[in-house]
Short mmCIF file of all heavy atoms in Angstrom, two decimals:
data_model
loop_
_atom_site.label_atom_id
_atom_site.label_comp_id
_atom_site.label_asym_id
_atom_site.label_seq_id
_atom_site.Cartn_x
_atom_site.Cartn_y
_atom_site.Cartn_z
N LEU E 774 0.86 -11.38 -32.49
CA LEU E 774 1.86 -12.27 -33.06
C LEU E 774 1.22 -13.39 -33.86
O LEU E 774 0.08 -13.80 -33.60
CB LEU E 774 2.72 -12.86 -31.94
CG LEU E 774 3.50 -11.86 -31.07
CD1 LEU E 774 4.16 -12.58 -29.90
CD2 LEU E 774 4.54 -11.12 -31.91
N ASP E 775 1.98 -13.93 -34.81
CA ASP E 775 1.50 -15.08 -35.56
C ASP E 775 1.49 -16.31 -34.65
O ASP E 775 2.07 -16.32 -33.56
CB ASP E 775 2.37 -15.33 -36.79
CG ASP E 775 3.82 -15.64 -36.43
OD1 ASP E 775 4.11 -16.76 -35.98
OD2 ASP E 775 4.66 -14.73 -36.60
N THR E 776 0.85 -17.38 -35.12
CA THR E 776 0.61 -18.55 -34.28
C THR E 776 1.90 -19.17 -33.76
O THR E 776 2.01 -19.48 -32.56
CB THR E 776 -0.18 -19.61 -35.08
OG1 THR E 776 -1.41 -19.03 -35.51
CG2 THR E 776 -0.48 -20.83 -34.21
N ASP E 777 2.89 -19.36 -34.61
CA ASP E 777 4.14 -20.00 -34.18
C ASP E 777 4.89 -19.15 -33.16
O ASP E 777 5.40 -19.67 -32.16
CB ASP E 777 5.04 -20.28 -35.39
CG ASP E 777 4.49 -21.39 -36.27
OD1 ASP E 777 3.65 -22.17 -35.78
OD2 ASP E 777 4.90 -21.47 -37.46
N THR E 778 4.95 -17.84 -33.40
CA THR E 778 5.65 -16.96 -32.46
C THR E 778 4.90 -16.91 -31.13
O THR E 778 5.52 -16.93 -30.06
CB THR E 778 5.77 -15.54 -33.05
OG1 THR E 778 6.39 -15.61 -34.33
CG2 THR E 778 6.61 -14.66 -32.14
N ALA E 779 3.57 -16.85 -31.19
CA ALA E 779 2.78 -16.83 -29.96
C ALA E 779 2.98 -18.11 -29.16
O ALA E 779 3.03 -18.08 -27.92
CB ALA E 779 1.31 -16.64 -30.29
N ARG E 780 3.11 -19.25 -29.86
CA ARG E 780 3.34 -20.51 -29.17
C ARG E 780 4.68 -20.48 -28.43
O ARG E 780 4.79 -20.96 -27.30
CB ARG E 780 3.30 -21.67 -30.17
CG ARG E 780 3.38 -23.04 -29.50
CD ARG E 780 3.28 -24.17 -30.52
NE ARG E 780 1.97 -24.18 -31.16
CZ ARG E 780 1.75 -23.93 -32.45
NH1 ARG E 780 2.78 -23.62 -33.24
NH2 ARG E 780 0.54 -23.96 -32.95
N ALA E 781 5.71 -19.89 -29.06
CA ALA E 781 7.02 -19.79 -28.42
C ALA E 781 6.97 -18.87 -27.20
O ALA E 781 7.58 -19.15 -26.16
CB ALA E 781 8.05 -19.28 -29.43
N VAL E 782 6.22 -17.78 -27.30
CA VAL E 782 6.08 -16.88 -26.15
C VAL E 782 5.32 -17.59 -25.03
O VAL E 782 5.64 -17.44 -23.86
CB VAL E 782 5.36 -15.58 -26.57
CG1 VAL E 782 5.07 -14.71 -25.34
CG2 VAL E 782 6.20 -14.79 -27.55
N GLY E 783 4.30 -18.38 -25.38
CA GLY E 783 3.58 -19.15 -24.37
C GLY E 783 4.50 -20.10 -23.62
O GLY E 783 4.38 -20.26 -22.40
N GLU E 784 5.42 -20.72 -24.33
CA GLU E 784 6.39 -21.59 -23.68
C GLU E 784 7.30 -20.80 -22.74
O GLU E 784 7.63 -21.25 -21.64
CB GLU E 784 7.22 -22.32 -24.74
CG GLU E 784 8.23 -23.31 -24.17
CD GLU E 784 7.56 -24.41 -23.38
OE1 GLU E 784 6.46 -24.88 -23.77
OE2 GLU E 784 8.12 -24.80 -22.32
N ALA E 785 7.69 -19.60 -23.17
CA ALA E 785 8.53 -18.73 -22.32
C ALA E 785 7.77 -18.33 -21.05
O ALA E 785 8.35 -18.24 -19.97
CB ALA E 785 8.95 -17.49 -23.10
N ILE E 786 6.46 -18.07 -21.18
CA ILE E 786 5.64 -17.74 -20.01
C ILE E 786 5.68 -18.87 -19.00
O ILE E 786 5.90 -18.67 -17.80
CB ILE E 786 4.20 -17.44 -20.44
CG1 ILE E 786 4.12 -16.10 -21.19
CG2 ILE E 786 3.26 -17.42 -19.22
CD1 ILE E 786 2.76 -15.82 -21.82
N ARG E 787 5.48 -20.10 -19.48
CA ARG E 787 5.47 -21.25 -18.56
C ARG E 787 6.83 -21.45 -17.90
O ARG E 787 6.91 -21.78 -16.72
CB ARG E 787 5.04 -22.50 -19.33
CG ARG E 787 3.57 -22.46 -19.75
CD ARG E 787 3.10 -23.81 -20.28
NE ARG E 787 3.77 -24.15 -21.52
CZ ARG E 787 3.38 -23.70 -22.72
NH1 ARG E 787 2.35 -22.87 -22.81
NH2 ARG E 787 4.00 -24.07 -23.81
N THR E 788 7.89 -21.24 -18.66
CA THR E 788 9.24 -21.37 -18.09
C THR E 788 9.48 -20.36 -16.99
O THR E 788 9.99 -20.68 -15.92
CB THR E 788 10.30 -21.20 -19.20
OG1 THR E 788 10.12 -22.23 -20.19
CG2 THR E 788 11.71 -21.30 -18.63
N ARG E 789 9.08 -19.10 -17.24
CA ARG E 789 9.29 -18.05 -16.24
C ARG E 789 8.46 -18.29 -15.00
O ARG E 789 8.93 -18.03 -13.87
CB ARG E 789 8.98 -16.68 -16.86
CG ARG E 789 10.04 -16.20 -17.83
CD ARG E 789 9.60 -14.92 -18.54
NE ARG E 789 9.32 -13.85 -17.59
CZ ARG E 789 10.24 -13.08 -17.03
NH1 ARG E 789 11.53 -13.27 -17.32
NH2 ARG E 789 9.91 -12.11 -16.21
N LEU E 790 7.23 -18.76 -15.15
CA LEU E 790 6.39 -19.03 -13.98
C LEU E 790 6.96 -20.17 -13.16
O LEU E 790 6.89 -20.16 -11.92
CB LEU E 790 4.96 -19.34 -14.42
CG LEU E 790 4.16 -18.16 -14.98
CD1 LEU E 790 2.80 -18.61 -15.50
CD2 LEU E 790 3.98 -17.07 -13.93
#
Side-chain angles (χ1 to χ4, degrees):
L774 300 173
D775 61 75
T776 302
D777 289 341
T778 306
R780 186 178 295 114
V782 174
E784 182 61 38
I786 289 172
R787 291 190 294 277
T788 299
R789 286 173 58 82
L790 290 175

